[in-house]
Amino acid sequence: MASSGSGQQLPPYKPYRHVKALRGHESAVSCVKFSNDGTLLASASLDKTIILWSSSTLALIRRLVGHSEGISDLSWSSDSHYICSASDDRTLRIWDARSSTGECVKTLRGHNNLVFCVNFNPQSNLIVSGSFDETIRIWEVKTGKCLHVIKAHSLPVTSVSFNRDGSLIVSGSHDGSCKIWDAAKGTCLKTLIDDKVPAVSFAKFSPNGKFILIATLDNTLKLCNYSTGKFLKIYTGHVNKVYCITSTFSVTNGKYIVSGSEDHCVYLWDLQQKTMIQKFEGHTDTVISVTCHPKENMIASAALQNDKTVRIWSQDSPNAAPK
Amino acid sequence: MNASIIDPLQGDFPEVIEEYLEHGVMKCIAFNRRGTLLAAGCSDGNCIIWDFETRGIAKELRDKDCVAAITSVCWSKYGHRVLVSAADKSLTLWDVVSGEKITRTILQQTPLQARLHPGSSTPSLCLACPLSSAPMIVDLNTGGATMLPVSIPDSNPGLAPPSRNKISDGTPPFSPTAACFNKCGDLVYAGNSKGEILLIDYKSVQVLAMVPTSGGSVIKNIVFSRNGQYLLTNSNDRTIRIYENLLPLKDGLKALNGLNETLNSLDDVEKLKIVGSKCLTLFREFQDTITKMHWKAPCFSGDGEWVIGGSASKGEHKIYIWDRAGHLVKILEGPKEALIDLVWHPVHPIVVSVSLTGLVYIWAKDYTENWSAFAPDFKELEENEEYIEREDEFDLIPETEKAKESNVNEDDEVDIVTVDKDSAFSDSDMSQEELCFLPAIPSPDAPEQQDKCLESSSKLVESNNSGSPLSEEGRPNGRAMNHASSPLEEDPGATRVKRKRKPSEKWLDLQL
């Protein structure tokens, strides 16, 4: 376990320990996300439901039912009040996370094929969604109207997200390209990769909006400075050839990149040194999604069909709980 | 923001109407500091706050006591408050987030313009310019109004002493005088009917300096640029004059007092003129020598580089754009409706104008496809470059693996957390929380639509691309026309009045 040596005296790396396996979904879990205030954890599944868990007690709070097909992605609004989910039934649904009945507030219709990825903008007045119909749509939260339809790619769109001030959208697609769009006008500002292979499975801005983390289906994660277009860091060691596995930045206790993998583990790399620091074992199927708690040193991961659980890992918990 | 990848070759001023906003009959508009929200005052006494990013309504400030037309709107510095002046002589201060009225003050006369003190986040003072008397400082908490002197004391011996109570004591009526605060709010700059710019210390109610304009004609508008370095006056002689502010941006009052003291020996009027010449110098004059038109609502661009003025001629909607050096760069022409108000976005090259019919037009740059955006190694060149091919360029050589050269040191430290300070907002006081946007609360779908999940595709026979046509009909507010469903069909060149809703071919193809 190497500690990130950058000339400063950092405390030695404390390994994450498995805390609990949350069971509740009846099929593969596709996405898991902590809310921005850290109190709730939402998980979406191919069993057509979303489960809300408390991140402190890890108990199941509520199940959000309404989609008629499996759900591929979900996103929290910045005030942690609303969740938007993207489903194979071609719609997006906005749920009120606080309501006790767990009902769907709004349904956004317009995509012609299954909706694969979704994200709120930081101001949470817009939602961007990417679909198998190769378009990206920008929706207004208040009225549910589609403001822009962008013919973005030539194959399914695998990932869309906003940058820190909501002015840019980054999108990745199976057609191998990663593009940056102007959120206000829907115009293309830059193309970062344009090779036909490998497919880009995930793309996300860094917390300060200067860098983009891109995952490609050749077992690679890259960190890129989007304004210069140069690739600065490459992270390897995991397996990612088939699924659109999400990865994320961990900044609560040192800077790391966290990602799921098709070999059933969660990988954690040191951001600067690019070395693999820890491999979390425990899942019994591909780990498709990981999320970091905004304030505590806690990571949640979700896995596919053979596993169906959401697992919680923490640096601070005293003992490892039984799996 | 994303300044680094936006093409700098395109000029920084708007060119075409991008969209229009419609809700009731709007009369006056104002952006908040960051340009994320646009407040619009209507003829029915309501004030609408538009979310400029989604071009939808974020909030409506309604007061049942006020049904008269709004004459001006003004934001407080960090966007928490909005001051609205109306034709029923009232000034209403609103809290934006809650949508609640804070205070309502009735004046002696209808204020044509009211400006909140720009220095604080919860201002209690405002500058009101009434229809036919001198501008006054109104304390919104007490309701007390202090009239400001608009003539040099010597030249008008009949000037009554300024009163601190609401009751006017028979001061002779003046023609409307324009006035504004300077950037930090310690001085008021007023332009009077003799064409003189007066610098007034409103706390001591004294004129500290005077700058005469050539020709001496009535000044109709006076406004500062956002950075406080330039001042603009619009006079009855159809000329817009730009002055450079020589006083320091902070503590301008102190510097002015200092100047006054050094010239104590001279007589009053002369002293005021000399001090005035040290505060402002004439930089440029703009006029249209051919049509000699009167200007309406002139103002600066957000960065002070451009000046715009609307034509005051009836029946035409023309906006002239000059650069600060004085060259006319563009004339924007809109539909044949008179222009009544005009603002430039604080940050983006966007101009918003209000027409007499109550529509708000948003002017933006004409979008031209940036071809270098479509491939990572495309680069846009300013002009054609001669390409000299290598000797062996077209030789058939067995393909050697081109090593992907990364001339970036992969061991360099990458900082993913620190945020760059936005240079456009240099005096952001980080301790003050700024209101940049109002929370968007999704309005619930009507119950019967929620059950229609997969049936949706066959039902969308209507020719539009937006989310839920069923819910559109169910909500009969005037907003249905605000949004274009799909700007893919936009034709940037034409002056659009309404966007056409056309289905995309792909949508029709995939109709199941």
Side-chain angles (χ1 to χ4, degrees):
Chain A
M1 297 301 168
S3 62
S4 37
S6 48
Q8 296 157 340
Q9 287 301 327
L10 290 170
Y13 177 76
K14 203 167 152 207
Y16 277 82
R17 286 182 230 269
H18 183 273
V19 174
K20 194 170 178 192
L22 307 176
R23 288 168 216 284
H25 281 297
E26 288 148 31
S27 182
V29 187
S30 55
C31 180
V32 66
K33 289 232 173 104
F34 278 108
S35 61
N36 280 12
D37 60 2
T39 55
L40 294 172
L41 178 68
S43 62
S45 162
L46 293 188
D47 68 3
K48 313 175 199 173
T49 68
I50 297 173
I51 297 184
L52 288 179
W53 314 81
S54 153
S55 51
S56 41
T57 65
L58 301 180
L60 191 156
I61 298 180
R62 200 169 307 124
R63 202 179 283 262
L64 306 177
V65 183
H67 276 297
S68 53
E69 295 291 334
I71 303 171
S72 302
D73 198 11
L74 70 89
S75 171
W76 284 93
S77 66
S78 307
D79 55 6
S80 308
H81 289 172
Y82 298 98
I83 296 176
C84 186
S85 56
S87 165
D88 290 355
D89 65 6
R90 305 193 214 158
T91 68
L92 293 127
R93 279 179 184 250
I94 303 181
W95 312 82
D96 184 344
R98 299 161 298 176
S99 100
S100 48
T101 53
E103 58 183 62
C104 168
V105 178
K106 223 161 173 55
T107 305
L108 309 177
R109 291 174 224 277
H111 276 295
N112 301 336
N113 206 327
L114 53 99
V115 192
F116 198 70
C117 43
V118 65
N119 252 308
F120 272 93
N121 67 342
Q123 298 91 316
S124 298
N125 53 7
L126 293 175
I127 287 175
V128 65
S129 63
S131 159
F132 266 43
D133 66 4
E134 299 160 19
T135 66
I136 294 175
R137 280 181 184 246
I138 302 179
W139 311 81
E140 185 193 355
V141 171
K142 193 153 187 215
T143 57
K145 286 204 191 226
C146 181
L147 298 180
H148 295 285
V149 180
I150 305 174
K151 289 195 177 123
H153 292 280
S154 49
L155 277 178
V157 181
T158 54
S159 170
V160 278
S161 73
F162 282 95
N163 68 339
R164 197 180 160 272
D165 60 15
S167 57
L168 299 176
I169 295 171
V170 65
S171 72
S173 162
H174 273 144
D175 68 3
S177 67
C178 178
K179 297 194 181 175
I180 301 185
W181 309 86
D182 179 311
K185 301 207 193 80
T187 56
C188 181
L189 290 175
K190 197 158 181 153
T191 302
L192 288 174
I193 311 176
D194 201 21
D195 313 318
K196 293 275 179 289
V197 271
V200 173
S201 53
F202 181 73
K204 175 180 171 148
F205 276 98
S206 66
N208 64 357
K210 284 208 248 184
F211 304 97
I212 300 185
L213 183 65
I214 302 176
T216 44
L217 291 183
D218 61 350
N219 314 318
T220 316
L221 271 165
K222 298 191 181 89
L223 190 67
C224 156
N225 176 331
Y226 83 88
S227 44
T228 63
K230 296 244 177 337
F231 288 91
L232 302 172
K233 306 271 181 196
I234 297 187
Y235 307 92
T236 52
H238 61 303
V239 181
N240 189 2
K241 289 215 183 69
V242 181
Y243 293 105
C244 293
I245 297 179
T246 61
S247 40
T248 185
F249 296 91
S250 165
V251 297
T252 46
N253 186 13
K255 312 275 185 294
Y256 303 98
I257 302 278
V258 187
S259 171
S261 167
E262 285 154 18
D263 62 3
H264 314 180
C265 301
V266 176
Y267 282 73
L268 189 117
W269 292 266
D270 181 294
L271 181 90
Q272 314 293 359
Q273 305 298 322
K274 303 165 291 183
T275 45
M276 199 253 296
I277 305 272
Q278 194 182 351
K279 197 164 132 168
F280 311 173
E281 290 167 17
H283 279 290
T284 54
D285 200 347
T286 297
V287 179
I288 191 88
S289 175
V290 288
T291 178
C292 292
H293 193 282
K295 296 177 199 114
E296 294 168 31
N297 301 320
M298 185 167 24
I299 293 179
S301 58
L304 294 184
Q305 216 80 8
N306 280 341
D307 180 292
K308 303 183 207 155
T309 64
V310 172
R311 284 174 195 257
I312 308 290
W313 316 80
S314 172
Q315 270 186 334
D316 309 322
S317 74
N319 322 306
K323 296 181 199 194
Chain B
M1 289 199 287
N2 52 350
S4 47
I5 55 175
I6 287 189
D7 185 2
L9 293 177
Q10 301 180 337
D12 243 357
F13 48 84
E15 287 157 339
V16 289
I17 293 182
E18 180 180 70
E19 202 169 341
Y20 70 92
L21 304 175
E22 182 172 4
H23 186 94
V25 177
M26 291 178 277
K27 294 243 149 247
C28 47
I29 45 179
F31 272 110
N32 67 343
R33 191 154 164 268
R34 295 204 174 240
T36 52
L37 297 170
L38 179 71
C42 300
S43 59
D44 57 2
N46 294 333
C47 179
I48 316 272
I49 310 252
W50 294 89
D51 178 332
F52 201 65
E53 283 172 359
T54 62
R55 309 282 160 93
I57 296 183
K59 210 153 198 102
E60 275 194 54
L61 304 174
R62 282 178 191 281
D63 184 0
K64 50 180 172 18
D65 297 328
C66 178
V67 290
I70 307 280
T71 52
S72 81
V73 281
C74 178
W75 290 85
S76 68
K77 183 167 184 184
Y78 292 109
H80 298 279
R81 305 274 163 94
V82 163
L83 180 70
V84 159
S85 64
D88 60 358
K89 308 182 194 171
S90 66
L91 288 175
T92 313
L93 184 66
W94 295 88
D95 178 275
V96 178
V97 176
S98 62
E100 305 274 312
K101 186 169 61 173
I102 303 177
T103 63
R104 185 173 148 88
T105 316
I106 312 279
L107 301 175
Q108 286 297 104
Q109 299 197 344
T110 295
L112 284 182
Q113 206 192 71
R115 293 268 168 271
L116 277 171
H117 189 275
S120 79
S121 64
T122 48
S124 58
L125 292 181
C126 77
L127 175 67
C129 300
L131 188 53
S132 56
S133 68
M136 53 180 80
I137 296 282
V138 179
D139 183 329
L140 295 165
N141 291 333
T142 65
T146 315
M147 276 199 151
L148 295 175
V150 286
S151 288
I152 318 275
D154 284 344
S155 48
N156 190 355
L159 178 68
S163 51
R164 281 203 169 260
N165 51 25
K166 281 199 217 178
I167 301 167
S168 157
D169 47 359
T171 38
F174 302 94
S175 55
T177 308
C180 66
F181 278 109
N182 66 346
K183 183 166 153 106
C184 57
D186 54 5
L187 285 172
V188 168
Y189 286 64
N192 66 9
S193 50
K194 298 207 203 86
E196 298 163 344
I197 303 176
L198 304 172
L199 280 71
I200 306 170
D201 173 8
Y202 57 88
K203 290 215 173 75
S204 63
V205 196
Q206 264 193 317
V207 178
L208 293 180
M210 188 266 276
V211 178
T213 57
S214 54
S217 63
V218 179
I219 294 180
K220 299 192 289 188
N221 304 98
I222 185 165
V223 64
F224 265 97
S225 66
R226 234 186 97 238
N227 57 13
Q229 285 174 337
Y230 293 94
L231 180 71
L232 175 160
T233 62
N234 178 21
S235 309
N236 237 4
D237 63 355
R238 307 150 209 245
T239 309
I240 295 176
R241 293 180 174 83
I242 311 285
Y243 291 85
E244 202 174 327
N245 182 14
L246 302 169
L247 290 176
L249 293 174
K250 290 200 173 66
D251 299 324
L253 178 59
K254 239 167 57 177
L256 194 47
N257 279 329
L259 283 172
N260 257 313
E261 267 152 44
T262 60
L263 295 165
N264 250 330
S265 50
L266 300 171
D267 92 11
D268 284 332
V269 180
E270 271 311 306
K271 179 169 99 173
L272 289 175
K273 279 202 191 146
I274 293 182
V275 175
S277 64
K278 297 203 195 312
C279 304
L280 291 173
T281 55
L282 181 61
F283 187 70
R284 283 281 178 277
E285 288 188 356
F286 301 133
Q287 50 191 293
D288 188 330
T289 44
I290 302 170
T291 60
K292 293 234 179 287
M293 61 169 65
H294 280 279
W295 303 108
K296 199 159 171 85
C299 60
F300 286 96
S301 69
D303 54 4
E305 287 299 315
W306 313 95
V307 176
I308 45 168
S311 144
S313 316
K314 280 206 171 48
E316 65 176 13
H317 198 96
K318 271 191 177 162
I319 301 169
Y320 282 60
I321 307 181
W322 298 269
D323 66 14
R324 227 177 42 225
H327 309 118
L328 179 66
V329 292
K330 191 112 186 135
I331 303 179
L332 301 175
E333 270 204 65
K336 298 258 175 276
E337 304 154 358
L339 184 148
I340 53 176
D341 200 1
L342 188 62
V343 285
W344 192 299
H345 191 281
V347 183
H348 299 308
I350 293 179
V351 163
V352 182
S353 65
V354 186
S355 83
L356 193 59
T357 58
L359 292 176
V360 167
Y361 292 101
I362 301 175
W363 300 79
K365 279 175 18 170
D366 196 357
Y367 167 65
T368 50
E369 198 81 50
N370 178 11
W371 297 109
S372 62
F374 285 95
D377 41 7
F378 275 7
K379 218 175 53 161
E380 241 181 84
L381 300 173
E382 287 246 14
E383 46 177 37
N384 288 341
E385 267 178 26
E386 187 83 30
Y387 182 65
I388 301 176
E389 43 186 73
R390 287 193 325 266
E391 200 44 60
D392 60 352
E393 178 117 23
F394 295 104
D395 290 352
L396 281 173
I397 304 173
E399 201 70 58
T400 46
E401 233 355 286
K402 258 205 235 159
K404 279 237 168 101
E405 47 189 271
S406 74
N407 36 8
V408 177
N409 183 1
E410 280 209 3
D411 292 331
D412 274 351
E413 196 151 310
V414 167
D415 183 358
I416 57 166
V417 177
T418 326
V419 181
D420 277 341
K421 220 168 149 223
D422 195 344
S423 58
F425 296 94
S426 56
D427 67 340
S428 269
D429 183 0
M430 287 318 231
S431 63
Q432 296 274 14
E433 209 187 285
E434 192 167 338
L435 182 70
C436 293
F437 51 91
L438 289 170
I441 299 165
S443 48
D445 282 339
E448 65 268 4
Q449 281 129 32
Q450 285 189 21
D451 301 332
K452 301 191 170 97
C453 296
L454 277 183
E455 303 165 52
S456 57
S457 47
S458 53
K459 292 225 169 155
L460 290 170
V461 181
E462 274 194 57
S463 56
N464 61 39
N465 284 346
S466 54
S468 181
L470 302 166
S471 54
E472 266 183 274
E473 291 153 5
R475 260 192 291 285
N477 55 20
R479 290 197 55 244
M481 291 186 274
N482 287 343
H483 293 293
S485 45
S486 172
L488 287 180
E489 279 86 60
E490 76 181 5
D491 49 333
T495 306
R496 274 159 298 180
V497 180
K498 272 204 172 63
R499 286 192 168 203
K500 294 206 186 67
R501 291 164 181 265
K502 286 190 290 204
S504 73
E505 319 89 71
K506 195 149 192 191
W507 172 244
L508 290 176
D509 284 345
L510 290 173
Q511 281 277 350
L512 287 173

